Amino acid sequence: MGVHGLSSYLYDKQRTLSSTVQFGLDQASAESDPTPIVVDAWSFIYKLFFEEPHPWVYGGEYELFARDVVSIVQAWKMLHLKPYFVFDGAQPKLKFPEMVRRVQESRILPANLFFHTSSSRRNEPTWLDDHCIIPPLIAGACASALVEAGVPCIWADGEADQKCVELAGRLNAWVFSADSDFAILNVEGYKGYAQMDQMLWEYLPVTGPDATTESDDGWEQAGRTKGKKKKPLPTEG
């Protein structure tokens, strides 16, 4: 269930407890073997789903989500990274009450709220973002896209945490996750834990025939004109 306050502590002390690792195209060309990374699949799914929202009210745009998964994996491969995704397996009976509670909070209650909200209100983008329900088949869609892209996928016997660290130890790799528990797990060969929320992406400028340059060609940019201020309506005395 995690350590209470650990995420806040790691965030506050990140300059002391963490170091910066940068991957680039120039580094990718210089290395002979790709750098292995172990990805906590559910952390990746949640991060991607809420960072790149797609219409979900009709059950989830699985094809669009799968395209996003493949795009990120391809970008990692361009940086000479080799991802291994680890999914949760069957949960022990002891955790069933917690699983039921999570389903109620993440799916049942938001669904009830959706159908008890007026159609005009629930069609607002802000309302949909605030009350988003993750589609039930999202993990299967992610796994299917990864397998088709040739990415190794592993299913743990239980929770994925220990399997991620074990695999990272054998591969001498980092674990990509949003779960702070990986900061206190350890095994020989495990390089450490990379917080997904702290990852920064840099985009290269487009050059060559695909780059488009716009010139004025005698045109002037039109400025926004201020509208006339409306006169206040007369009030009856």
Side-chain angles (χ1 to χ4, degrees):
M1 300 302 172
V3 179
H4 179 69
L6 180 58
S7 297
S8 300
Y9 177 81
L10 294 175
Y11 181 80
D12 295 337
K13 303 293 184 180
Q14 57 180 318
R15 292 187 177 181
T16 305
L17 301 176
S18 63
S19 59
T20 301
V21 179
Q22 186 173 359
F23 299 97
L25 296 177
D26 53 346
Q27 179 183 3
S29 60
E31 294 181 354
S32 57
D33 296 326
T35 301
I37 57 174
V38 178
V39 184
D40 180 9
W42 267 110
S43 290
F44 174 83
I45 290 171
Y46 276 104
K47 179 68 174 177
L48 179 58
F49 181 79
F50 289 107
E51 288 289 336
E52 297 291 338
H54 295 299
W56 57 267
V57 293
Y58 302 109
E61 296 292 344
Y62 295 110
E63 184 177 358
L64 295 178
F65 181 79
R67 292 178 184 176
D68 293 339
V69 171
V70 174
S71 296
I72 292 182
V73 169
Q74 290 177 344
W76 282 345
K77 290 182 177 180
M78 289 178 62
L79 300 178
H80 218 50
L81 300 175
K82 184 177 182 179
Y84 295 79
F85 278 72
V86 181
F87 290 81
D88 289 333
Q91 299 296 318
K93 186 177 181 180
L94 182 64
K95 295 198 64 175
F96 281 6
E98 175 65 18
M99 295 173 61
V100 171
R101 184 189 65 82
R102 290 181 180 179
V103 171
Q104 289 177 339
E105 293 181 352
S106 63
R107 293 180 181 173
I108 298 178
L109 292 180
N112 289 336
L113 180 62
F114 179 87
F115 288 108
H116 285 83
T117 303
S118 64
S119 58
S120 58
R121 179 74 176 94
R122 69 190 186 197
N123 283 329
E124 297 177 1
T126 55
W127 193 96
L128 292 174
D129 291 341
D130 294 339
H131 301 84
C132 181
I133 303 174
I134 192 165
L137 303 180
I138 199 74
C142 178
S144 177
L146 292 171
V147 171
E148 291 182 4
V151 177
C153 295
I154 300 97
W155 277 262
D157 293 333
E159 290 187 343
D161 297 14
Q162 295 182 356
K163 187 64 178 180
C164 285
V165 175
E166 175 194 347
L167 180 61
R170 289 194 280 114
L171 297 174
N172 193 27
W174 289 280
V175 171
F176 286 11
S177 177
D179 190 349
S180 60
D181 287 355
F182 288 101
I184 58 178
L185 296 175
N186 192 24
V187 72
E188 185 178 357
Y190 174 42
K191 282 189 173 182
Y193 143 73
Q195 170 60 259
M196 287 187 177
D197 292 335
Q198 301 297 324
M199 293 182 183
L200 299 178
W201 295 80
E202 294 181 358
Y203 297 91
L204 296 177
V206 179
T207 58
D210 294 335
T212 58
T213 57
E214 297 181 358
S215 58
D216 293 339
D217 293 334
W219 293 88
E220 295 182 0
Q221 183 177 1
R224 180 178 295 179
T225 59
K226 296 183 179 179
K228 294 182 178 180
K229 186 177 182 180
K230 294 183 179 180
K231 296 181 179 180
L233 297 176
T235 58
E236 296 182 359

